[in-house]
Amino acid sequence: MQDLALALYQYFIYPILTLILFALFAYVIMSWLFTFNILSPYGQIARQIYSMLESVLEPLLRPIRNTIPPLGQLDLSVFILALLILFTRDWLFPQLLFAMPG
């Protein structure tokens, strides 16, 4: 049973959490590029990519935003989500896997 759980973690859960983390970084970078007018928010391809990232990440960010409101212009929900993903991926799941009986 531990071998199955380890395989699921290594080949399914870990890559998905890593992909979500990279999507989160792309979402933040694109929002900065839009904010500083480096990337035009009216460009069709950029808007489609940003909308796709937003549709994937907003359901994860919304509960955090409801719990911890933005501090002025600073939105901590992205930072907290990144920390939660890293904590879950790198500490919680390995601890649970190695705590499983043989």
Side-chain angles (χ1 to χ4, degrees):
M1 184 67 178
Q2 187 178 13
D3 293 336
L4 175 64
L6 184 62
L8 281 174
Y9 171 71
Q10 285 179 337
Y11 298 112
F12 185 69
I13 296 171
Y14 190 91
I16 287 178
L17 290 175
T18 303
L19 185 64
I20 292 171
L21 195 61
F22 283 132
L24 190 64
F25 290 145
Y27 178 71
V28 168
I29 290 170
M30 284 191 77
S31 71
W32 288 345
L33 293 176
F34 286 146
T35 300
F36 297 119
N37 288 324
I38 296 169
L39 191 61
S40 172
Y42 304 109
Q44 183 179 2
I45 294 173
R47 179 53 57 192
Q48 286 177 344
I49 292 170
Y50 188 76
S51 294
M52 187 225 15
L53 291 171
E54 190 174 43
S55 67
V56 169
L57 295 172
E58 274 304 313
L60 300 173
L61 292 169
R62 193 173 306 116
I64 299 171
R65 286 185 182 137
N66 291 339
T67 306
I68 302 170
L71 303 172
Q73 294 293 327
L74 184 62
D75 184 14
L76 295 176
S77 62
V78 174
F79 178 69
I80 292 170
L81 180 61
L83 287 178
L84 285 172
I85 290 171
L86 288 171
F87 170 76
T88 304
R89 185 190 73 174
D90 296 337
W91 188 81
L92 183 64
F93 279 144
Q95 290 294 320
L96 292 174
L97 285 173
F98 292 120
M100 290 179 69

